[in-house]
Amino acid sequence: MTNLSVNHLLGIKNLTEDDIQLIFQTADHFKEVINRPIKKVPSLRDITIANIFFENSTRTKLSFELAEKRLSADVINFSSSNSSVKKGETLLDTVNNILSMKVDMVVMRHSSAGAAHFLARHIKANIINAGDGTHEHPTQALLDTYSIREQIQDLNGKKVAIIGDILHSRVALSNIYALKKLGAEVMVCGPATLLPKYIAELGVKISWDVKEALEWCDVANILRIQLERQQLKYFPSLREYALYYGVNKKLLDSLEKEIIVMHPGPINRGVEISSDVADSKQSIILNQVENGVAVRMAVLYLLAQNRQN
């Protein structure tokens, strides 16, 4: 397989296992590129990419922009905070105005679930979903699974626990899809109030005990408490959450095995994860950040190849 089966990256749900493996193989090549003295290749020098972010972002936006520049693409950055969206312009009008400048690809983050799917039905450019509400965040899941693969090679049969605010997380859903497509077993763990009612239908195990989840898994992917998306109070306090669900060094040392610890960021140190865990040798958090550039380069390159074909 040399081409993706899709023309847009809207979610992991739309990808096949072969698509994911192709992205990983391409990312392996680009990881070599970004570790050379000259970190740039001319692969997308005729492509113009617009980064359209309707929500605040640091890591994802910087990672995409760096990936695009490493591939020699022309880059346009758009932020809704100082745009005509504030004057009432619709999403479709905003994007069509940008596309009239001959943009080939759009990387978009939006607070509404399905926004990327809506755009893909109405415009000709390739769309990459950089996060839509609490729905999906496909490139984060790809870089997470790529980072696990880097550590333990084959994900088939491996056990991954996703711990934290599952209800408000787009990372959790995309990771569940990706991990299961690659043959991993998945457990979600968190307070009952932060686990969606539908979660068991996705074929995952459920635990409300963080120590039980850590003893079960080979890899723990710890998620941030997303207070900015919570309209209700889902637990008494951050201190109590940290007491019952925070992952600290004492808890890790009590396990009979050594597990891999991940976090998509940003980290709330002392809440869902302690500093001595985040900075420990078991943590691959910085590897995730590095791999994010290579994986996003792979996605951009492969979608551009589909465009040319």
Side-chain angles (χ1 to χ4, degrees), residues 25 86 132 140 146 198 214 264 269 298:
Q25 290 161 17
K86 292 290 185 183
D132 58 334
Q140 182 67 49
Y146 180 85
Y198 66 80
L214 293 174
R269 289 176 182 259

Side-chain angles (χ1 to χ4, degrees), residues 166-178:
I166 312 296
L167 182 64
H168 300 96
S169 174
R170 51 193 168 211
V171 173
L173 185 59
S174 287
N175 265 277
I176 289 168
Y177 286 140

